[in-house]
Amino acid sequence: MTEALVTDVPDVSTDWYHDIVQFADGTPEPVHWFALHFTEGAIVLLGILLVLAALTRLVGGDLRGRALALAAPVAVVCAYASSEGLKTLIAEDRPCRSPADLVIVAGHCPPAGDWSFPSNHATIAGALAATALLLHRRIGLVAVPLAVLAAFSRTFVGVHYPHDVAAGLLLGVLVGTVLTPVLARPVADVLRRRVRRDATRPAVRPARR
């Protein structure tokens, strides 16, 4: 079993983590139920918002808009892959492992080797919100606060330090914002060539009877 490489967590993040977890533990059971479902369901909601934003560009949009819509999901996957790479490289242990008697809303801590920094959920949420905003302003303005809440929920349920979710959120926004236009360029070239090819293709005349 690989041991954690990072044990020196910023004091401010540790203090905020314990304050948030203790506050969460004191909230009513319906809040616990909502938080547990929201922390997973928010990613699904953000995915739906991205799909809606992409459809607005794919249906009736210009060539660059369609290229951005096709590139956005790839950028989200790349953001997730980058967070996974960082987690393995940094190997920061989960905050819910110490102290052992810490009560968290999640009920149990992720298994050993499932590292904490950065948060995958927060990274995906940030990337989904950023790409949705690139594609459709109004949908993106709904996605952005939802992504922030999704990231915060990972600390609320007790499975991440605040700096884990902040870094994940920023990583997702950065990768989504930068990589989507970069990937869209070759996609736009492919679409442009296809349009030209279709325009120059001779029309097929119906056979005479």
Side-chain angles (χ1 to χ4, degrees):
M1 183 185 299
T2 304
E3 294 184 357
L5 299 180
V6 175
T7 57
D8 188 15
V9 176
D11 290 340
V12 64
S13 190
T14 301
D15 292 342
W16 286 1
Y17 171 78
H18 284 94
D19 289 344
I20 293 170
V21 166
Q22 288 171 8
F23 170 79
D25 184 45
T27 57
E29 284 299 323
V31 176
H32 294 185
W33 180 90
F34 176 80
L36 284 172
H37 288 79
F38 176 80
T39 196
E40 301 292 343
I43 301 299
V44 177
L45 292 175
L46 285 165
I48 292 172
L49 290 176
L50 177 58
V51 170
L52 292 176
L55 287 175
T56 64
R57 291 298 193 107
L58 290 172
V59 180
D62 59 11
L63 188 144
R64 182 176 182 275
R66 294 198 298 272
L68 286 170
L70 294 173
V74 180
V76 173
V77 173
C78 290
Y80 166 73
S82 64
S83 71
E84 271 294 305
L86 284 173
K87 284 168 81 79
T88 303
L89 178 65
I90 296 173
E92 176 193 270
D93 208 358
R94 295 275 181 168
C96 41
R97 298 201 183 285
S98 178
D101 60 348
L102 185 68
V103 178
I104 60 174
V105 172
H108 63 277
C109 201
D114 186 350
W115 306 117
S116 192
F117 182 92
S119 164
N120 283 341
H121 280 72
T123 302
I124 296 169
L128 288 170
T131 51
L133 188 59
L134 280 175
L135 297 178
H136 194 283
R137 180 180 174 83
R138 281 181 289 182
I139 294 177
L141 290 177
V142 175
V144 168
L146 182 60
V148 173
L149 289 174
F152 173 75
S153 72
R154 303 304 291 165
T155 299
F156 188 88
V157 300
V159 295
H160 279 290
Y161 290 107
H163 74 278
D164 296 338
V165 298
L169 198 61
L170 291 174
L171 176 63
V173 169
L174 179 64
V175 174
T177 302
V178 173
L179 197 56
T180 299
V182 172
L183 293 174
R185 292 171 190 166
V187 175
D189 290 339
V190 172
L191 294 176
R192 192 175 294 111
R193 287 195 296 269
R194 182 175 179 180
V195 169
R196 290 173 181 171
R197 185 172 62 248
D198 291 343
T200 57
R201 182 178 299 169
V204 178
R205 296 180 179 179
R208 294 182 179 179
R209 296 182 179 180

